[in-house]
Amino acid sequence: MKILTKLTITTLLIAAPMASFSAPTPEELGWEAGVVAPSPLKSKYTTPLFKTVQEAEQAKALADEELARVKKLREGQHYLCNQKIFVNRCIDKAEKVLKDRERFAEQLKRTADHQIRQIEINNHQKKADPQPPRETDKPQPSCRARAQKPPSMFQ
């Protein structure tokens, strides 16, 4: 009996702090069913043009964070919308904005990847060919090549 009592008390002492660390519910966060704000990345990256690889990598990281945020928002919206009378209308309203946010984040990642490749190609070409060839470096046509020109009709 003493062992059972100790085991029960130990279990309660361990479980109590774990219960307080549970994730907050969407209601506690102040979310409203079916209402999702547009992407905060849209205003910053309407036409993304990155000058360095680091800028593009930062944008990719922000896009990854946005995708994770969309996933959490989707779960929270499904939870909230399932408590409404018109569940499907609520979910559709939230999904419209969430899909737009998701598409924008994916597009930002693709654009950043493309521009990273372009920057690396340009850097590689600059290293391989530091100066364009000069006109004096071009080979001159030989005498034989000049002699073999086809005759012109208007001579």
Side-chain angles (χ1 to χ4, degrees), residues 66-131:
E66 176 71 3
L67 290 172
R69 203 173 309 122
V70 166
K71 183 178 177 184
K72 287 180 183 177
L73 283 170
R74 183 171 282 125
E75 291 170 0
Q77 287 298 322
H78 279 270
Y79 172 79
L80 289 173
C81 287
N82 282 327
Q83 297 173 358
K84 292 279 197 174
I85 293 174
F86 298 110
V87 175
N88 290 337
R89 184 184 300 169
C90 178
I91 290 175
D92 289 343
K93 185 178 174 184
E95 279 295 320
K96 182 178 178 183
V97 178
L98 290 172
K99 285 181 182 176
D100 185 48
R101 287 178 74 161
E102 198 171 40
R103 266 189 232 110
F104 187 78
E106 290 290 343
Q107 180 182 1
L108 181 61
K109 279 178 65 174
R110 284 191 305 272
T111 303
D113 279 334
H114 176 71
Q115 289 186 16
I116 287 171
R117 283 191 299 274
Q118 291 299 318
I119 291 169
E120 288 174 351
I121 288 170
N122 290 340
N123 290 342
H124 181 69
Q125 287 176 347
K126 285 178 185 177
K127 287 179 184 177
D129 190 23
Q131 295 178 353

